[in-house]
């Protein structure tokens, strides 16, 4: 490439980030991640100059059908078919009955067999299935089914459940409480207070009754970590289209053929947003992990905007050897390699995104079984991203979730598929709710789901395996020293703190004196670089004048892309509480294992660097409602009665000003929602 010419990716990478809505750039909006579909943008990364091979699509076009939506159990509780215990319930299911259960619980099959979504499981007293059925996604369906072989069953008959071992009942299951703190997220972030049953008081039960009336049997679930949905509700069960099941069965057969012939099995799933990509991938993943219990499936999650298997604002490669029912919590897994993107869209720094994607793909072996989850981006700039993905890893199967095709859609489809490399194309009917079905279904915005992912990550304790949603600012932060210009470069070897800081998308334009305002109350990635590599990096930064040093301030790397030239490990994310420029340390909250972090610091074999992206932090984290309520209560008591419950109203609250005096020339501003033109909707 000539020196006077920039690739489109490079041009985007160097563009002013404040003009993210310029023509030719396609991505999630800052407000709600709706896609803006503009003219296709032709990109040239020079990663692979080969022309894409001709696809071999199937001839049959999908037929559009509105799916049947299940919003409640097909089960009528009686005094005979359900047993209540302090910590669990036992339920007997008759033929064709099924359950929708919201919440977190462990399921054990005591008699016969059941289907969880599409997979059949037989009775086993030693087998427990952990299910996380939140309102953020569809709720798994538990169906009484026929035993495939009596040899597969290991029934558990006790005095408690013996009356359910009757010919009237086909299956008996035990559902146990699973409280891990996640159900309490609403105490910190009220917008998500109803994603799990969280009945800690009679007031909660009354409020739930007002929102959705419950019968006497449903009220008996008060105090459990789960709720049996008996009447029609505004929740939705996992919907498996008949065409999906057939295609999944065909893919399983194709995997077995590839296994015998030594061929790889790499499945890339694409489609527009809300077409069912994540659900289809999870169903296929569950079928594969059930087929062979020792089989390890890799999931490449490349959508930083709506992460399914990655930490917030990351893309990842995760290993799976067991099915996933309901919501997957990546912070609970130790078998995931994350790469920090720092934004909820690849658009911000596409070169950085592609580099991180290549790092993950390099972790794969030739015989790896890989399922790839992609953004809902199949037009314009999204085509270029998918093109680069298929250039880096040629999928054996390209799953395209699509609606009925009009003549206009065919043009778009050809533009999409003709630019991608793959061995076989399989068109699958996309999942779309009909207008009559979707009116009352509980829906959460992409921003709320991202906030759930971020808050659950920050409040997870890997030692106790629990979540604690007490506000972080009510706890003591971790204190870590940082390196500044007063220290000699040779001191780096013996320094066990933060050596430098990189700010994505803005390092060159940032005044070093403003770095504290840029860091406080912000999410950062914490990376570890081996000592020799960091010494080489530091030398390059100094020689190229790419590092800014200022007394008492952390060293600032001007060009964040230079870090991609050096290998490093992403330890995790953290929230900066404050920066002490007198004693040169940063107060930081992070769920990273402290022993692991301490070992890296004390041995001096690795050096720490912080990378700041543009992760959005919910205001509830820095200004929790209980603190605001207490301050307002004290203020009212002082005003009306001349009393107060404490001195809280006299102290300053971090990050927030309650003053109505905006200063000379100051004014309040209402943030305008990014309204798209009709042609872009």
């Amino acid at each position: 490439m000539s020196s006077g010419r920039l690739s489109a990716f490079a041009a985007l990478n160097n563009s002013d980030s404040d003009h993210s809505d310029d023509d030719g750039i396609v991505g999630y909006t800052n407000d709600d991640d709706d896609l803006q579909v503009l003219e296709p943008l032709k990109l040239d990364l020079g990663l692979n100059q080969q022309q894409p091979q001709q696809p071999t699509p199937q001839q049959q076009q999908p037929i559009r059908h509105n799916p049947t939506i299940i919003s409640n159990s097909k089960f009528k509780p009686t005094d005979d078919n359900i047993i209540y215990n302090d910590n669990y319930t036992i339920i007997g299911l008759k033929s064709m009955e099924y359950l929708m259960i919201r919440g977190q619980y462990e399921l054990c099959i005591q008699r016969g067999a059941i289907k969880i979504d599409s997979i059949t499981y037989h009775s086993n007293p030693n087998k427990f299935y952990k299910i996380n059925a939140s309102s953020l996604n569809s709720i798994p369906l538990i169906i009484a089914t026929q035993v495939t072989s009596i040899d597969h069953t290991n029934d558990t008959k006790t005095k408690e459940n013996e009356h359910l071992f009757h010919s009237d009942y086909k299956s008996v299951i035990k559902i146990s409480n699973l409280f891990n703190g996640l159900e309490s997220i609403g105490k910190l972030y009220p917008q998500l207070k109803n994603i799990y049953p969280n009945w800690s008081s009679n007031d909660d039960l009354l409020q739930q009754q007002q929102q959705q009336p419950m019968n006497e049997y449903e009220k008996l679930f008060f105090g459990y970590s789960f709720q049996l949905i008996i009447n029609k509700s505004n929740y939705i069960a996992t919907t498996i289209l008949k065409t999906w099941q057939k295609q999944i069965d065909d893919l399983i057969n194709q995997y077995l053929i590839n296994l015998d012939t030594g061929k790889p099995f790499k499945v890339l799933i694409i489609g527009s947003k809300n077409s069912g990509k994540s659900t289809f991938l999870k169903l296929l993943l569950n079928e594969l992990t059930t087929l062979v219990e020792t089989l390890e499936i890799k999931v490449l999650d490349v959508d930083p905007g709506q992460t399914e298997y990655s930490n917030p604002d990351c893309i990842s490669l995760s290993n799976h050897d067991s099915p996933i029912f309901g919501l997957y919590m990546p912070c609970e897994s130790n078998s995931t390699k994350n790469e920090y993107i720092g934004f909820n869209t690849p658009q911000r720094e596409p070169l950085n995104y592609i580099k991180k994607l290549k790092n993950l793909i390099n972790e794969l072996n030739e015989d790896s079984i890989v399922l790839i989850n992609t953004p809902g981006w199949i037009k314009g700039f999204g085509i270029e991203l998918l093109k680069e993905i298929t250039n880096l890893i040629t999928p054996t199967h390209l799953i395209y979730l699509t609606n009925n095709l009009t003549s206009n859609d065919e043009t778009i489809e050809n533009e999409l598929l003709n630019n991608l490399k793959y061995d076989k194309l399989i068109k699958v009917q996309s999942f779309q709710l009909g207008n009559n079905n979707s009116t009352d279904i509980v829906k959460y915005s992409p921003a709320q789901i991202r906030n759930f992912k971020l808050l659950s990550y920050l409040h997870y304790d890997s030692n106790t395996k629990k979540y604690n949603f007490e506000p972080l600012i009510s706890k003591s932060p971790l204190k870590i020293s940082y390196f500044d210009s007063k220290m000699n470069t040779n001191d780096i070897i013996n320094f066990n703190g933060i050596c430098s800081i990189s700010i994505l998308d803005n390092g060159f334009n940032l005044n070093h004196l403003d770095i504290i305002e840029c860091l406080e109350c912000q999410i950062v990635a914490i990376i570890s670089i081996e000592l020799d590599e960091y010494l080489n990096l530091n030398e390059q930064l100094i020689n190229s004048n790419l590092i800014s040093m200022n007394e008492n301030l952390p060293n600032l790397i001007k060009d964040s892309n230079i870090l991609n030239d050096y290998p490093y490990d992403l330890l995790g994310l953290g929230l900066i509480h404050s920066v002490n420029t007198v004693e040169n340390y940063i107060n930081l909250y992070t769920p990273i294992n402290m022993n692991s972090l301490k070992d890296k610091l004390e041995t001096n074999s690795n050096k720490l660097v912080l990378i700041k992206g543009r992760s959005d932090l919910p205001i509830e984290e820095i200004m929790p409602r209980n603190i605001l309520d207490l301050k307002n209560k004290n203020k009212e008591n002082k005003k009306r009665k001349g009393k107060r419950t404490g001195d809280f109203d006299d102290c300053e609250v971090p990050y927030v000003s309650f003053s109505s005096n905006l200063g000379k020339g100051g004014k309040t501003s209402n943030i305008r929602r990014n309204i798209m033109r009709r042609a872009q909707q």
Side-chain angles (χ1 to χ4, degrees):
M1 186 176 292
S2 64
S3 59
R5 178 184 168 212
L6 281 177
S7 71
F9 256 142
L12 274 178
N13 219 46
N14 295 327
S15 65
D16 187 347
S17 60
D18 291 332
H19 296 82
S20 59
D21 293 326
D22 289 349
D23 290 344
I25 300 178
V26 186
Y28 296 120
T29 64
N30 290 335
D31 289 329
D32 57 5
D33 270 12
D34 287 336
L35 295 178
Q36 300 185 28
V37 181
L38 307 180
E39 291 300 316
L41 183 62
K42 302 301 181 184
L43 305 182
D44 175 19
L45 272 75
L47 295 176
N48 194 324
Q49 299 298 328
Q50 297 180 359
Q51 295 297 320
Q53 62 193 71
Q54 292 298 319
T56 55
Q58 295 182 352
Q59 297 300 315
Q60 184 178 0
Q61 300 290 348
I63 301 174
R64 184 76 174 90
H65 295 294
N66 285 336
T68 300
I69 302 302
I70 297 175
S71 63
N72 61 288
S73 304
K74 185 182 178 182
F75 173 78
K76 185 176 181 180
T78 66
D79 293 336
D80 185 69
N81 62 10
I82 187 166
I83 302 167
Y84 296 93
N85 195 287
D86 290 342
N87 196 46
Y88 61 85
T89 63
I90 297 175
I91 297 177
L93 293 174
K94 297 180 180 180
S95 179
M96 304 303 293
E97 287 186 330
Y98 54 79
L99 300 175
M100 269 184 71
I101 303 176
R102 189 171 71 99
Q104 295 188 94
Y105 56 93
E106 287 187 333
L107 185 149
C108 180
I109 308 169
Q110 295 187 330
R111 180 194 179 193
I114 62 168
K115 275 189 176 182
I116 306 179
D117 290 337
S118 63
I119 303 176
T120 300
Y121 296 97
H122 293 83
S123 58
N124 186 337
N126 301 316
K127 190 71 174 179
F128 296 87
Y129 303 96
K130 181 180 177 181
I131 298 180
N132 184 343
S134 81
S135 305
L136 295 177
N137 54 1
S138 59
I139 295 176
L141 205 60
I142 301 168
I143 310 169
T145 192
Q146 184 64 40
V147 171
T148 59
S149 172
I150 195 66
D151 295 334
H152 294 162
T153 62
N154 184 6
D155 293 347
T156 306
K157 187 176 182 180
T158 65
K159 289 184 178 180
E160 188 177 33
N161 67 9
E162 61 183 357
H163 68 282
L164 297 175
F165 279 68
H166 187 275
S167 58
D168 288 346
Y169 297 103
K170 182 178 287 288
S171 309
V172 178
I173 60 174
K174 179 180 179 181
I175 306 166
S176 302
N177 279 333
L178 181 58
F179 290 106
N180 61 3
L182 196 56
E183 68 280 352
S184 300
I185 189 172
K187 294 180 179 179
L188 177 65
Y189 190 54
Q191 296 180 44
L192 299 180
K193 65 181 179 181
N194 293 322
I195 63 172
Y196 296 106
N198 186 24
W199 304 331
S200 57
S201 67
N202 289 326
D203 291 339
D204 294 331
L205 181 61
L206 180 61
Q207 184 179 9
Q208 175 71 22
Q209 176 74 4
Q210 291 173 346
Q211 293 176 351
Q212 191 158 328
M214 295 183 291
N215 61 31
E216 293 304 315
Y217 283 102
E218 287 177 307
K219 292 179 183 178
L220 290 174
F221 283 89
F222 175 76
Y224 288 100
S225 66
F226 52 89
Q227 173 195 13
L228 181 61
I229 302 174
I230 300 174
N231 298 318
K232 284 191 175 181
S233 69
N234 51 8
Y235 307 113
I236 180 174
T238 302
T239 303
I240 305 174
L241 306 179
K242 290 183 179 179
T243 53
W244 282 22
Q245 191 60 59
K246 180 181 182 304
Q247 296 293 358
I248 289 174
D249 291 341
D250 290 344
L251 284 167
I252 296 297
N253 291 332
Q254 187 62 59
Y255 160 72
L256 294 174
I257 294 173
N258 287 17
L259 183 65
D260 291 339
T261 57
K263 294 182 179 179
F265 187 71
K266 301 174 183 178
V267 180
L268 174 68
I269 303 176
I270 65 173
S272 60
K273 65 174 185 174
N274 298 324
S275 59
K277 298 185 300 299
S278 297
T279 301
F280 189 92
L281 184 147
K282 187 184 297 182
L283 292 171
L284 178 57
L285 172 66
N286 289 351
E287 291 277 5
L288 286 168
T289 53
T290 305
L291 183 67
V292 182
E293 291 188 357
T294 57
L295 191 64
E296 185 175 79
I297 313 297
K298 295 185 181 296
V299 173
L300 185 61
D301 185 9
V302 298
D303 183 3
Q306 289 299 314
T307 58
E308 291 282 339
Y309 303 90
S310 314
N311 288 334
D313 288 344
C314 295
I315 58 176
S316 69
L317 182 66
S318 53
N319 300 322
H320 302 270
D321 57 9
S322 60
I324 299 170
F325 300 116
L327 191 63
Y328 179 74
M329 302 300 295
C331 58
E332 298 179 14
S333 172
N334 294 322
S335 60
T336 301
K337 178 177 176 58
N338 285 278
E339 289 282 354
Y340 183 65
I341 303 300
F343 308 100
N344 59 28
T345 169
Q347 171 192 331
R348 284 287 187 181
E349 290 193 349
L351 289 177
N352 177 52
Y353 173 84
I354 292 297
K355 173 64 177 177
K356 301 297 177 59
L357 178 61
K358 290 179 68 175
N359 291 344
L360 294 176
I361 291 176
N362 289 337
E363 296 286 325
L364 297 172
N365 299 321
E366 283 296 325
D367 57 349
S368 295
I369 306 169
V370 188
L371 309 181
I372 307 170
N373 188 39
T374 61
W377 230 352
I378 57 172
K379 299 178 184 178
F381 182 60
I383 295 178
E384 303 302 324
L385 286 179
L386 292 174
K387 179 181 176 181
E388 294 305 325
I389 291 173
T390 57
N391 282 341
L392 292 170
I393 177 172
T394 303
T396 57
H397 298 81
L398 177 66
I399 309 299
Y400 177 33
L401 279 80
T402 179
N403 298 328
N404 278 342
L405 303 178
T406 64
S407 57
N408 183 47
D409 286 330
E410 288 177 356
T411 302
I412 296 174
E413 179 187 272
N414 291 335
E415 182 182 4
L416 167 66
L417 299 178
N418 290 340
N419 278 282
L420 306 183
K421 291 176 60 177
Y422 50 87
D423 294 340
K424 184 177 182 180
L425 170 67
I426 301 176
K427 292 182 182 178
V428 179
Q429 176 186 335
S430 66
F431 175 81
Q432 297 288 341
L433 288 172
N435 293 331
N436 294 333
N437 291 328
S438 61
T439 305
D440 298 324
I441 291 175
V442 172
K443 296 178 182 178
Y444 292 91
S445 70
Q448 288 174 319
I449 296 174
R450 283 197 300 271
N451 287 341
F452 170 82
K453 297 281 188 178
L454 179 59
L455 292 175
S456 59
Y457 173 84
L458 291 174
H459 289 264
Y460 180 68
D461 187 334
S462 59
N463 294 318
T464 63
K465 310 297 183 185
K466 300 283 187 180
Y467 296 86
N468 181 357
F469 287 101
E470 288 296 319
L472 292 178
I473 62 173
S474 66
K475 308 171 187 176
S476 297
L478 178 67
K479 184 187 296 185
I480 306 181
S481 300
Y482 62 79
F483 198 90
D484 75 344
S485 62
K486 292 184 298 184
M487 305 178 73
N488 189 286
T489 304
N490 294 329
D491 294 334
I492 291 178
I493 297 176
N494 298 317
F495 181 71
N496 54 1
I498 299 168
C499 291
S500 54
I501 292 176
S502 173
I503 298 180
L504 299 177
D505 201 27
N506 220 357
F508 283 105
N509 301 323
L510 178 67
N511 186 332
H512 200 160
L513 298 178
D514 296 330
I515 192 172
I516 305 303
E517 288 77 7
C518 187
L519 291 177
E520 288 187 335
C521 195
Q522 296 295 309
I523 300 295
V524 292
I526 305 169
I527 68 171
S528 171
I529 305 178
E530 291 186 1
L531 176 60
D532 291 342
E533 294 289 350
Y534 187 82
L535 292 175
N536 293 333
L537 167 64
N538 190 65
E539 182 179 1
Q540 182 180 357
L541 291 172
I542 293 175
N543 293 338
S544 304
N545 194 28
L546 291 177
I547 189 167
S548 175
M549 298 183 180
N550 200 304
E551 187 173 343
N552 294 331
L553 295 178
N555 291 341
L556 174 64
I557 298 176
K558 296 179 182 179
D559 184 5
S560 58
N561 288 321
I562 199 171
L563 291 173
N564 291 330
D565 297 332
Y566 295 86
Y568 63 78
D569 292 326
L570 174 62
L571 302 181
L573 307 182
L575 169 63
I576 294 181
H577 173 278
S578 55
V579 181
N580 187 319
T581 57
V582 177
E583 300 182 32
N584 287 23
Y585 63 81
I586 290 177
N587 291 310
L588 182 74
Y589 297 110
T590 178
I592 298 173
N593 185 282
M594 288 297 100
N595 291 330
S596 173
L597 186 59
K598 185 178 179 181
D599 290 342
K600 287 184 177 294
L601 290 173
E602 290 182 346
T603 59
N604 288 324
S605 59
N606 294 77
K607 298 303 168 185
L608 296 186
V609 175
L610 301 185
I611 304 176
K612 178 194 169 298
R614 291 199 178 183
S615 301
D616 295 324
L617 183 69
I619 187 65
E620 287 83 357
E621 184 66 89
I622 60 175
M623 189 61 220
R625 176 166 294 186
N626 59 346
I627 293 180
L628 181 60
D629 290 344
L630 180 59
K631 184 174 179 68
N632 290 336
K633 182 178 179 181
N634 288 341
K635 186 176 181 180
E636 289 297 320
N637 287 339
K638 184 178 180 181
K639 182 187 297 184
R640 295 179 181 180
K641 303 178 182 179
K643 299 179 181 180
R644 60 189 180 192
T645 58
D647 295 329
F648 188 81
D649 52 320
D650 294 331
C651 72
E652 293 186 6
V653 179
Y655 319 118
V656 179
S657 172
F658 293 89
S659 173
S660 58
N661 182 9
L662 301 177
K664 186 176 181 179
K667 65 177 182 178
T668 58
S669 298
N670 293 324
I671 299 175
R672 177 179 179 270
R673 181 181 173 86
N674 187 15
I675 302 175
M676 296 184 295
R677 299 182 180 91
R678 184 182 299 274
Q680 297 173 337
Q681 294 179 347

